């Protein structure tokens, strides 16, 4: 089954809110083939971010198993997960989440600090990643000197710099205008098609979802994954 | 330290806030340096003093000389291992302002008595062979730029020569230094035999005796025995330990050490509050950034280490600057104050203690924010952002 990258089996995620239990995901089964580009849509609070967190090893299911790239995330310790994340998954957020004190290049370099690469090698790889997202000429700029779209490109470069197979994007264009959003989405498409990245993207925007190979819909309360018509 | 850039940049995220914190650390450690150097001077004499060395002076006044004949009688006293003597010459070099201690001594027994003074063996031998030879401490040689072989004229203020002259010529045969970083080697020593022969008056006397108590003997008893021997003679003596000598001087400063400690305590307590506050503000401001680092795969201990290092870095920046400036000031101060309060000295131990305090204070100020950063839940922090 080498063409399946991620496999969720009977995954439930229950949050305890005071005395009340909120079951956000209910016995979810999901398979994500390698090289897929999936959009996830659904109303607010339906568990989209929760699902991404489980896929990215940021959270653990209350029940069920999450397997990504052969790693059994649901049974790994926190420090194992943190090590796993550093090489296997890239995160892209709605608000870019760059470190304001570092330049674009140094932001992109961050994940490489966790590797054994020499400083020269790290800078080289970070520069290549910036080049891929079309921002080679902004390497020395600080986030506050960049536009929203450029910041998101830097964030994407940071997500791909350690060459993970899976990219998880939580509303990556939620804060951008149409035109810039389309640029970012085309970039994701390139990463998917030319660099073979498997992408799971949460979005509220139907036009954004069109860039994906397929769209899954979440429904309120419990998640029900179904193929779009 | 591949995290250094990250730590450094984070430390300076709010330049004014960090500058103010660094400034307060700087002031605290400058104060620490100055106070501990002064405290050292107050305690110094006692610490340097060798409890097994006794000093015999004239009971009436230090400046009254003692007969040379006492030497053998002191040496014969029970509990005395060895004796030497020194005298006050009180001359100057070229200009009356260039004053420093010059003692005519018996080279062999004097250097035996003060093993902390070190000199190359061949220089010592040359000194002993040359009747008009002299040796000086490193501090003096450096001050006047003297080298071995130099001809050094010293103007006498007390001791005119038998030939009526006031200039004493010496050949510099050696330069000694002291092992004890707290001790001083600001001395010039020359041959007593030459001094005795060439001086116009006062023959047959020395300034004071120094003796070493034999192992196991009680210094107090030995001192009493010596003073008893010379009781009711024209030159009654007063024998005391170097430590007692120093202590009587230091006693009046006794409480200063306590006050110094209290002031420093208050300063450091304030310092911890200031920098602890800086660190916790700084961590509170970047909860989401820390969550991002953890998302990227930075482990909990790495995040803890990064925040702690930042706190320690701020302490080291201010602290080393403060200690450094303190050290410079103390160099100057020590020279200015040498006459009134010798032994003003920032000891390596005090400096090492200072650096240890910087690191300790950095850890104390940073530990709670760092633990908070470490324990941060990624999903909560990102959901809030
Ligand atoms: N740490 C938590 N503790 C308690 N409840 C939580 C927690 N995180 C999420 N929830 C709840 O789980 C549900 C799903 O949250 P999630 O963030 O996955 O929704 P979402 O689909 O991403 O919504 P949005 O589109 O607004 O981002 C929400 O009702 C939320 O209140
Ligand atoms: Mg969400």
């Amino acid at each position: 089954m080498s063409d399946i990258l991620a496999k969720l089996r009977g995954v439930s995620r229950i949050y305890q809110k005071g005395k009340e239990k909120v079951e956000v995901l209910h016995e979810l089964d999901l398979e994500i083939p390698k090289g897929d580009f999936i959009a996830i849509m659904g109303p607010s609070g339906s568990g989209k971010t929760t699902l991404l967190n489980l896929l990215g090893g940021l959270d653990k299911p209350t029940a069920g198993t999450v397997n990504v790239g052969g790693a059994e995330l649901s049974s790994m310790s926190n420090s194992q997960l943190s090590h796993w994340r550093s090489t296997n998954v890239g995160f892209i957020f709605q608000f870019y989440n760059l470190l304001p004190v570092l330049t674009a290049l140094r932001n992109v370099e961050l994940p490489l600090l966790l590797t054994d690469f020499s400083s020269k090698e790290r800078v080289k790889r970070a520069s290549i990643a910036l080049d891929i997202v079309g921002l080679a000429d902004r390497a020395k700029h600080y986030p506050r000197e960049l536009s929203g779209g450029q910041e998101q490109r830097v964030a994407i470069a940071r997500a791909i710099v350690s060459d993970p197979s899976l990219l998880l994007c939580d509303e990556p264009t939620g804060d951008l205008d149409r035109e810039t959003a389309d640029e970012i989405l085309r970039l994701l498409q390139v990463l998917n098609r030319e660099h073979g990245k498997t992408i799971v993207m949460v979005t509220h925007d139907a036009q954004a979802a069109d860039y994906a190979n397929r769209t899954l819909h979440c429904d309120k309360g419990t998640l029900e994954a179904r193929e779009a018509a | 330290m591949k995290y250094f850039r990250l730590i450094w940049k984070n430390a300076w995220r709010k330049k004014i806030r960090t500058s103010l914190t660094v400034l307060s650390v700087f002031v605290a450690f400058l104060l620490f340096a100055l106070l501990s150097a002064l405290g050292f001077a107050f305690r110094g004499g006692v610490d340097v003093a060798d409890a097994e060395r006794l000093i015999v002076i004239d009971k009436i006044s230090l400046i009254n000389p003692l007969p040379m004949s006492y030497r053998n009688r002191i040496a014969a006293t029970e509990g005395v291992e060895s004796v030497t003597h020194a005298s006050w010459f009180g001359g100057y070099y070229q200009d009356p302002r260039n004053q420093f201690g010059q003692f005519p001594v018996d080279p062999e027994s004097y250097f035996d008595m003060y093993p902390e003074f070190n000199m190359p063996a061949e220089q010592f031998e040359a000194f002993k062979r040359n009747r008009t030879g002299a040796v000086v401490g490193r501090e003096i040689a450096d001050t006047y730029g003297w080298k071995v072989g130099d001809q050094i004229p010293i103007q006498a203020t007390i001791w005119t020569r038998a030939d009526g002259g006031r200039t004493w010529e010496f050949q510099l045969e050696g330069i000694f230094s002291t092992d004890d970083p707290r001790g001083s080697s600001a001395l010039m020593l020359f041959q007593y035999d030459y001094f005795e022969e060439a001086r116009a008056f006062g023959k047959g006397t020395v300034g004071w005796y120094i003796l070493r108590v034999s192992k196991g003997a009680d210094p107090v008893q030995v001192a009493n025995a010596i003073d008893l021997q010379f009781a009711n003679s024209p030159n009654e003596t007063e024998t005391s330990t170097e430590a007692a000598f120093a202590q009587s001087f230091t006693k009046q400063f006794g409480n200063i050490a306590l006050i110094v400690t209290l002031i420093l305590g208050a300063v450091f307590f304030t310092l911890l509050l200031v920098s602890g506050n800086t660190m916790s503000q700084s961590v509170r401001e970047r909860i989401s950034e820390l969550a991002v680092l953890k998302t990227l795969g930075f482990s909990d201990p790495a995040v803890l280490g990064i925040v702690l290092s930042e706190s320690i870095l701020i302490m080291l920046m201010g602290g080393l600057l403060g200690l450094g400036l303190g050290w410079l000031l103390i160099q100057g101060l020590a020279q200015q104050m040498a006459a009134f309060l010798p032994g003003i000295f920032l000891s390596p131990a005090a400096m090492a203690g200072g650096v240890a305090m910087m690191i300790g204070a950095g850890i104390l100020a940073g530990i709670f924010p760092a633990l908070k950063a470490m324990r941060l839940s990624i999903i909560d922090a990102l959901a809030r952002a």
Side-chain angles (χ1 to χ4, degrees), chain B residues 15-154:
Chain B
K15 294 200 171 52
I16 294 179
R17 181 175 65 198
T18 304
S19 304
L20 289 175
T21 309
V22 168
L23 187 69
S24 62
V25 179
F26 166 80
V27 171
F29 277 93
L30 179 61
L31 207 60
F32 167 81
L34 295 178
L35 290 181
S36 56
L38 281 180
F40 198 90
F42 294 139
R43 268 175 293 111
V46 182
D47 288 349
V48 181
D50 183 336
E52 283 163 4
R53 260 191 320 237
L54 301 184
I55 296 185
V56 186
I57 60 171
D58 186 274
K59 192 174 182 176
I60 296 162
S61 166
L62 175 63
I63 53 175
N64 282 358
L66 292 171
M68 191 64 205
S69 59
Y70 279 19
R71 178 174 186 160
N72 290 337
R73 292 176 62 191
I74 292 173
T77 309
E78 200 182 322
V80 174
E81 188 179 286
S82 57
V83 189
T84 189
H85 59 82
S87 305
W88 181 254
F89 186 75
Y92 60 85
Y93 174 63
Q94 286 177 343
D95 186 295
R97 276 174 303 183
N98 295 336
Q99 296 222 13
F100 51 92
Q102 302 115 12
F103 300 166
V105 298
D106 169 44
E108 192 77 54
S109 61
Y110 190 83
F111 277 87
D112 273 357
M113 189 61 67
Y114 293 95
E116 63 265 40
F117 288 155
N118 276 317
M119 182 170 26
E122 68 277 9
Q123 293 186 2
F124 186 50
E125 289 307 315
F127 173 42
K128 283 193 290 187
R129 276 196 307 271
N130 185 352
R131 269 178 82 73
T132 56
V135 293
V136 297
R138 168 67 48 206
E139 289 162 78
I140 299 290
D142 288 348
T143 306
Y144 300 111
W146 293 342
K147 288 176 299 296
V148 171
D150 284 358
Q151 189 77 17
I152 295 163
I154 297 290

Side-chain angles (χ1 to χ4, degrees), chain A residues 67-79:
Chain A
N67 188 303
V68 179
E72 197 58 57
L73 301 190
S74 27
S75 61
M76 277 161 70
S77 73
N78 280 344
S79 69

Side-chain angles (χ1 to χ4, degrees), chain A residues 45 47-50 170-171 202 204:
Chain A
K48 304 181 297 294
T49 298
T50 303
D170 201 347
E171 301 182 39
V202 166
H204 283 294

